[in-house]
Amino acid sequence: MNWHDVLTAMLPEHILLAGMVLLLCLEIVSGRDRDGFFVALLTVAAAAVAACDLFAQGYAGSPFAGHFSVSPMTSLPKAAILALTLPVLLISRDDFAETRYYVLLLASLYGACLLVSSDSFLTLFLGIELMSLPVYVLVLLAFLRPESTEAALKYLVLGGAATATLLMGVSLLYGWSGSLGITAFTSALSATQPLATGGAVLVVAALLLKAAIVPFHAWAPDAYEGASVPVTAYMATVIKAGVLLAALRLFGTALVTGPMVSLLAVLPLVSMAWGNLAAIRQTSFRRMIAYSSIAHAGYLYYAFLGAGPGRYQAIVFYLIVYGVMNLLAFVALPRSVDDTRQDHLDALQGLFHRQPVAALVIAAAMLSLAGIPPLPGFAAKFLIFRNVLAAGYTTYAVLGLVASYLGIYFYLRVIQYMFMSAESPDAVRGRPRRLAFLATVLCLVPAILLSFFPGWLLDRL
Amino acid sequence: MADSTLLNLVLWLPILGIVAIALLPRGRDSLVRNLSLAVMLLQLAMTAILYVHFDPSVSGLQFATNQPWIREWGIGYNIGLDGINVLLVALTAFLGPLVVAGAFSAIQKDVKLFYAMVFFIQFAMLGTFLAQDLFLFYVFWEAMLIPMFLIIGIWGGERRIYATIKFVLYTAFGSILMLAAVIYLVYSLQQRTGINSFAFVDLYGSDLPLRTQMWLLAAFGLSFAIKVPIVPLHTWLPDAHVEAPTAGSVILAGVLLKMGTYGFMKLGFPLFPEATRACTPVLMTLAVISIVYGACLALVQNDIKKIIAYSSISHLGYVMLGLVSLDLVGIQGAIVQMVSHGLVAGGLFLMVGMIYERCHTRDLAAYGGLAKLLPVFAVFFAILTLASIGLPTTSGFTGEFMALLGAFNAAWPLHEAGYDLPLVLAVIAVSGVVLGALYMLRLAQQLLFGKARAPHQPLTDLNTRERVILVAIVAAVFTIGLYPEEPLRKTELAAREYQQIVTGTALDQESLP
């Protein structure tokens, strides 16, 4: 263990840790809550820059061999996760003044960064739990309406079930291979012993549950609806990205064969179809996004059917695009004190006439999520389905595309509400806020760049 | 300076237009209108320069740009003019200013957004025609949905939401299967030849097995057939046309419907020539059904817009007939018919819009004797009616006649060989001309002649703006009708190449008609 390595390789994590400590000290020393916001913002920005720098240097090293390693392939997703948190922080200040909110958020981010770099089940588990546990609290912390408690409890119980499943799977894999290294998982994929297969299936099931794939999706709509806007945005982007990156870390470039194929083809396919269909019936914006995220998790897991080398590119590109566009919708959302009202889709009616920029931005986000070109969501979806098709799963690719077609309607309905409806009496007339505007610009710039120059990012993946 | 820069400028000018409109302050509606018109006229002028400098004796692309876009996937920003798209690009640029000017008085709500959307769809349509890369083509093809969705949905009639969602869901369904086919086609090209490219030139002659070609043609064809539309995939069209504002109808009838036939001509048939030859009887039958069925439906409508909408289905049936005849005359006729229909149907929709602005109804029964009430209107309407019927000296005649001639040219040798189906179909197709005369004359007679009546009298006749628009269209209709050589010369080489690719014959074996 080289101290210099530990310091450099884990710089993003160290910065987050330093930020947390500083926040805790501030909480004791200073009575002013608003400092917490700036400290958290600076911390995350610095950590993102550090991760970018590691990527730009092409730094590779493993400060804790066998447990934690850093390479450009981990630094880039890390930088993306950290950067995606910035808009979330910018829209948080109105909902959360307390310092503890920021501490929890940074802790969760630390977990996400840890799992991206993990080499053993130990660090992977630590990362996943550190990422999820603070979010249970964050959901409850919003407490804007009684449902928040229910949502948090549901999330906690099902999250606990996922943890147990993961641990069970890991222990089976450990028993089979005698190693805690995550490579045990890939060798178990091609093994035929029931112990190995059972362990691998349990691990995959836990990851499907964490990403809300049908039939393990029931917690997501409640949790998304019960949380407040910034927390939902965080869950839909960063947490989802974290889980997928954990799966990516586990699968590596191993080819998925045998019975695992049906698990990773059928369940995501059902997710796409069900998520898109169920979203049509929703009247709450966040519930709708929850179902949309169930469908998107389906697309993302589809990428594992593809050949190993293209998988990293497809998933990371999709996560970045999906994260940026999803956040774009959340940060532009008109806000009001009454959470039930602001969350209702009717609140968007006639938005174009009140806040044309917000309406156009949300429309762009919806079209991108629906995968309509020239918005970047199309290139992301194209990449995933190209890989699936190239791996020889023609039928699954076509079925997946048809399932994605089912989603077009409900995204368009949001646009219909904003542009084609007369203003409703429940319209939310929030005043434009400077921080939300800043967050919008922060998301809009990458969104435009990704629309016109997707090749720039793809070349770096 | 007629080079690739100018072509790029023509394509991107609408985006500059959107930026310019967005920067204008709120509430300056008349400024927005005039600026939009100026941009569209500038685009038309630049397109005219390109058209004049387009050399018909050169095969392949002219004014081409080919830049790598997503290098890793072999996707390029690859655009250019060729004999197939040159007339359609000219048509799009020609209708642009007319659409903008035609909406001056009709659109009073969200004017900035409206003209931004008109620019957006102009950009997407030009891009679809100019794209020479399958990925780029698909991006533009799908991007057209967004502005059309908003144009129908925001400024449309009473049932606009239903109509616009139906339009999008229909077209998107075709596109999603086309996307699967696009991915499969490019992937199989890569497997067979090692070339990782989306460029049309690389994809032609991909030489896939017939079974695969059939599947891919079905996927591409479904998408294009919905856009054309070919019966039985036409049910979105009357709704979209009726509910769309005038500008939307003009764009839809004038250019958007040609996307389907253009897609068949540029991609569907040349990419899968063996499958096309195997499917010719089916395609021909569908084309003839569209001609006759569309005409029959037009005959019984009482909504003026619906009559013209159904007539579009019938007229585009001729285009399909000409394309699948694989006869040089037929193919050229199809191209001319595309342009002609764009002008005539576009003009008719503009005129319906003008009368609707005055009388606020599209019910045919409410009108009569407009020749007395609005003499100038009546003259233009009569001319466009006759052009729609296909009277000689109008563009409609050139297109329909050549398409039918091509069908007969192709059918006759088969008839002599004892295979009668194509000939029977060609004969049935001729009956479409008669039906066309019937429904258009019924419309003109009810509208223009008889006892003079119309709601919201007294009516004012066409103003200068409206007259200029219609004079431009009528002049174009007669130009193509009287001097068809010029457009035919521009397209001949491309039509011949299309014929060779699809029939799989070399140039020297070609018997010239």
Side-chain angles (χ1 to χ4, degrees):
Chain A
M1 192 159 59
N2 177 336
W3 283 109
H4 181 256
D5 250 11
V6 172
L7 215 59
T8 331
M10 294 188 72
L11 194 58
E13 286 87 348
H14 291 323
I15 293 176
L16 287 175
L17 191 60
M20 273 185 276
V21 174
L22 189 62
L23 279 171
L24 289 172
C25 296
L26 263 182
E27 168 118 68
I28 301 167
V29 175
S30 147
R32 291 193 315 160
D33 279 331
R34 51 177 292 156
D35 296 338
F37 168 73
F38 292 108
V39 172
L41 198 64
L42 284 176
T43 307
V44 174
V49 170
C52 275
D53 186 49
L54 285 178
F55 173 74
Q57 286 174 23
Y59 182 89
S62 51
F64 301 97
H67 290 286
F68 187 95
S69 70
V70 174
S71 71
M73 278 175 78
T74 63
S75 300
L76 185 65
K78 230 181 256 184
I81 286 183
L82 291 164
L84 284 174
T85 314
L86 290 174
V88 174
L89 280 170
L90 284 174
I91 56 166
S92 301
R93 208 170 69 160
D94 293 347
D95 297 72
F96 300 101
E98 312 99 322
T99 314
R100 55 184 174 174
Y101 168 81
Y102 300 104
V103 177
L104 288 167
L105 199 69
L106 292 189
S108 169
L109 264 182
Y110 191 99
C113 287
L114 195 62
L115 69 85
V116 172
S117 282
S118 57
D119 275 336
S120 72
F121 285 120
L122 217 57
T123 36
L124 187 81
F125 179 75
L126 204 62
I128 292 183
E129 284 313 298
L130 193 54
M131 180 178 78
S132 318
L133 275 171
V135 180
Y136 305 139
V137 188
L138 287 181
V139 173
L140 193 60
L141 209 56
F143 206 76
L144 293 170
R145 35 180 159 160
E147 291 92 341
S148 294
T149 337
E150 188 198 330
L153 194 66
K154 232 178 207 169
Y155 191 24
L156 175 68
V157 169
L158 279 158
T163 306
T165 318
L166 180 65
L167 278 182
M168 188 69 207
V170 168
S171 59
L172 290 182
L173 287 178
Y174 179 68
W176 173 71
S177 67
S179 142
L180 272 176
I182 52 168
T183 40
F185 178 79
T186 40
S187 33
L189 279 179
S190 46
T192 48
Q193 290 97 323
L195 198 59
T197 319
V201 167
L202 283 178
V203 170
V204 170
L207 290 170
L208 293 179
L209 205 162
K210 286 264 182 200
I213 289 280
V214 172
F216 312 117
H217 66 288
W219 60 270
D222 288 326
Y224 279 44
E225 192 188 13
S228 60
V229 174
V231 175
T232 310
Y234 181 75
M235 285 200 289
T237 54
V238 176
I239 301 290
K240 187 135 281 183
V243 174
L244 261 298
L245 290 170
L248 190 64
R249 191 77 185 162
L250 274 175
F251 277 91
T253 53
L255 200 63
V256 178
T257 49
M260 197 61 98
V261 168
S262 31
L263 192 66
L264 282 174
V266 175
L267 292 187
L269 184 63
V270 175
S271 278
M272 293 174 211
W274 178 245
N276 282 334
L277 284 176
I280 296 174
R281 291 187 54 223
Q282 305 310 317
T283 51
S284 142
F285 183 80
R286 293 204 293 268
R287 264 190 111 79
M288 190 195 83
I289 288 294
Y291 280 105
S292 138
S293 88
I294 290 169
H296 282 279
Y299 306 134
L300 281 160
Y301 272 108
Y302 237 40
F304 287 97
L305 291 177
R311 193 181 291 160
Y312 168 79
Q313 190 192 42
I315 290 182
V316 176
F317 184 74
Y318 199 103
L319 284 173
I320 292 176
V321 167
Y322 171 72
V324 168
M325 296 319 272
N326 224 342
L327 283 175
L328 196 55
F330 276 113
V331 297
L333 213 57
R335 301 288 291 279
S336 119
V337 191
D338 183 349
D339 184 62
T340 322
R341 244 180 68 185
Q342 74 169 1
D343 190 35
H344 206 273
L345 272 179
D346 286 342
L348 291 173
Q349 285 193 348
L351 183 68
F352 178 70
H353 298 110
R354 299 195 300 276
Q355 301 177 23
V357 177
L360 287 170
V361 163
I362 295 176
M366 291 298 131
L367 290 169
S368 177
L369 291 176
I372 292 177
L375 292 142
F378 169 69
K381 208 155 81 176
F382 177 87
L383 183 51
I384 284 193
F385 283 105
R386 189 184 78 138
N387 287 356
V388 172
L389 220 142
Y393 301 103
T394 314
T395 321
Y396 281 126
V398 173
L399 287 174
L401 281 169
V402 173
S404 81
Y405 164 78
L406 298 174
I408 292 179
Y409 172 69
F410 76 87
Y411 293 118
L412 288 185
R413 200 179 50 156
V414 176
I415 300 179
Q416 177 205 319
Y417 279 170
M418 293 189 301
F419 286 85
M420 302 171 196
S421 304
E423 263 180 71
S424 75
D426 326 321
V428 176
R429 283 169 204 284
R431 291 234 306 285
R433 292 153 307 143
R434 203 174 302 159
L435 283 176
F437 180 74
L438 190 64
T440 311
V441 174
L442 207 59
C443 294
L444 205 54
V445 172
I448 292 170
L449 289 178
L450 285 170
S451 303
F452 286 101
F453 311 105
W456 184 85
L457 179 58
L458 286 165
D459 285 345
R460 277 156 185 78
L461 289 172
Chain B
M1 53 148 227
D3 57 4
S4 55
T5 322
L6 192 59
L7 187 64
N8 276 306
L9 212 54
V10 167
L11 175 61
W12 288 92
L13 198 62
I15 295 295
L16 295 179
I18 293 180
V19 174
I21 290 181
L23 293 177
L24 287 181
R26 250 185 230 210
R28 304 290 301 276
D29 287 351
S30 64
L31 188 61
V32 170
R33 293 192 180 103
N34 291 326
L35 182 76
S36 306
L37 184 61
V39 172
M40 285 292 193
L41 285 172
L42 181 62
Q43 187 185 41
L44 177 60
M46 295 198 299
T47 313
I49 296 174
L50 286 171
Y51 181 81
V52 171
H53 284 81
F54 181 83
D55 185 351
S57 60
V58 177
S59 135
L61 294 179
Q62 300 184 31
F63 318 116
T65 308
N66 191 1
Q67 289 284 326
W69 184 26
I70 307 176
R71 203 185 298 269
E72 202 190 326
W73 304 349
I75 293 168
Y77 171 72
N78 190 349
I79 64 164
L81 277 180
D82 64 10
I84 299 180
N85 65 20
V86 65
L87 284 184
L88 292 166
V89 168
L91 172 73
T92 311
F94 179 75
L95 287 176
L98 305 184
V99 167
V100 167
F104 269 17
S105 55
I107 301 297
Q108 300 294 346
K109 186 176 77 168
D110 300 331
V111 176
K112 269 170 89 164
L113 185 67
F114 178 80
Y115 285 106
M117 286 302 120
V118 171
F119 277 132
F120 190 0
I121 200 161
Q122 186 84 352
F123 170 68
M125 291 187 306
L126 285 171
T128 313
F129 286 136
L130 291 173
Q132 305 294 333
D133 179 286
L134 198 49
F135 190 86
L136 195 64
F137 174 86
Y138 189 84
V139 167
F140 280 124
W141 172 272
E142 278 283 89
M144 280 188 297
L145 283 184
I146 304 168
M148 206 61 210
F149 172 66
L150 291 175
I151 287 177
I152 301 177
I154 299 180
W155 297 277
E158 246 165 59
R159 291 168 64 240
R160 58 183 196 273
I161 308 281
Y162 167 79
T164 194
I165 295 224
K166 189 172 178 182
F167 162 74
V168 171
L169 291 184
Y170 254 85
T171 18
F173 184 72
S175 316
I176 211 83
L177 293 180
M178 179 162 90
L179 180 60
V182 166
I183 299 173
Y184 190 90
L185 178 67
V186 171
Y187 176 68
S188 50
L189 177 81
Q190 195 185 357
Q191 288 297 297
R192 294 162 75 91
T193 63
I195 305 171
N196 186 18
S197 167
F198 280 75
F200 291 166
V201 277
D202 292 323
L203 294 168
Y204 291 146
S206 54
D207 213 21
L208 297 162
L210 182 63
R211 215 180 116 75
T212 318
Q213 281 199 17
M214 290 292 239
W215 277 108
L216 295 178
L217 178 64
F220 274 84
L222 181 69
S223 176
F224 297 147
I226 289 173
K227 232 9 172 244
V228 172
I230 293 176
V231 174
L233 303 167
H234 65 284
T235 53
W236 63 269
L237 182 80
D239 285 314
H241 262 314
V242 168
E243 298 305 325
T246 304
S249 295
V250 176
I251 294 170
L252 205 56
V255 188
L256 222 60
L257 300 189
K258 274 88 220 170
M259 293 296 167
T261 44
Y262 172 78
F264 274 118
M265 185 167 187
K266 184 84 184 181
L267 291 171
F269 298 152
L271 283 178
F272 318 109
E274 286 159 47
T276 307
R277 290 201 293 278
C279 292
T280 306
V282 180
L283 291 164
M284 216 173 153
T285 313
L286 286 173
V288 172
I289 290 176
S290 295
I291 294 175
V292 176
Y293 188 70
C296 288
L297 284 175
L299 204 51
V300 295
Q301 302 302 323
N302 286 318
D303 183 319
I304 305 176
K305 263 192 164 178
K306 270 199 177 156
I307 298 179
I308 305 169
Y310 282 114
S311 84
S312 296
I313 299 174
S314 179
H315 284 300
L316 285 160
Y318 290 109
V319 179
M320 287 306 294
L321 189 68
L323 286 182
V324 295
S325 73
L326 300 181
D327 175 87
L328 188 64
V329 176
I331 297 162
Q332 288 201 282
I335 301 178
V336 174
Q337 172 73 357
M338 282 194 232
V339 178
S340 163
H341 175 262
L343 294 170
V344 174
L348 282 170
F349 274 120
L350 277 168
M351 295 210 72
V352 175
M354 291 169 190
I355 191 79
Y356 184 77
E357 271 177 55
R358 289 171 170 77
C359 303
H360 307 282
T361 176
R362 291 184 309 262
D363 186 10
L364 190 54
Y367 292 102
L370 288 185
K372 292 186 197 101
L373 296 172
L374 304 168
V376 182
F377 176 89
V379 169
F380 282 114
F381 199 87
I383 294 174
L384 288 178
T385 302
L386 296 177
S388 177
I389 294 169
L391 207 71
T393 73
T394 63
S395 60
F397 173 73
T398 320
E400 273 179 28
F401 179 74
M402 287 178 73
L404 283 171
L405 191 62
F408 276 102
N409 274 347
W412 197 254
L414 292 172
H415 164 69
E416 285 184 331
Y419 180 53
D420 281 336
L421 180 70
L423 190 67
V424 173
L425 288 173
V427 171
I428 298 175
V430 174
S431 74
V433 180
V434 182
L435 288 169
L438 263 178
Y439 64 73
M440 282 315 288
L441 287 178
R442 168 175 168 265
L443 171 65
Q445 186 200 4
Q446 287 247 1
L447 201 60
L448 304 181
F449 307 111
K451 188 167 169 284
R453 68 202 153 89
H456 296 275
Q457 295 200 42
L459 304 175
T460 48
D461 210 339
L462 303 185
N463 59 30
T464 318
R465 173 177 61 87
E466 293 165 329
R467 287 182 199 192
V468 170
I469 293 172
L470 293 174
V471 165
I473 287 185
V474 168
V477 165
F478 278 122
T479 311
I480 297 178
L482 292 169
Y483 307 104
E485 269 104 296
E486 169 57 22
L488 290 179
R489 213 162 48 83
K490 297 269 189 203
T491 56
E492 187 185 338
L493 200 61
R496 212 180 278 279
E497 278 167 356
Y498 161 81
Q499 186 191 20
Q500 283 155 26
I501 294 179
V502 181
T503 52
T505 51
L507 187 65
D508 46 12
Q509 295 164 356
E510 196 52 52
S511 57
L512 301 177

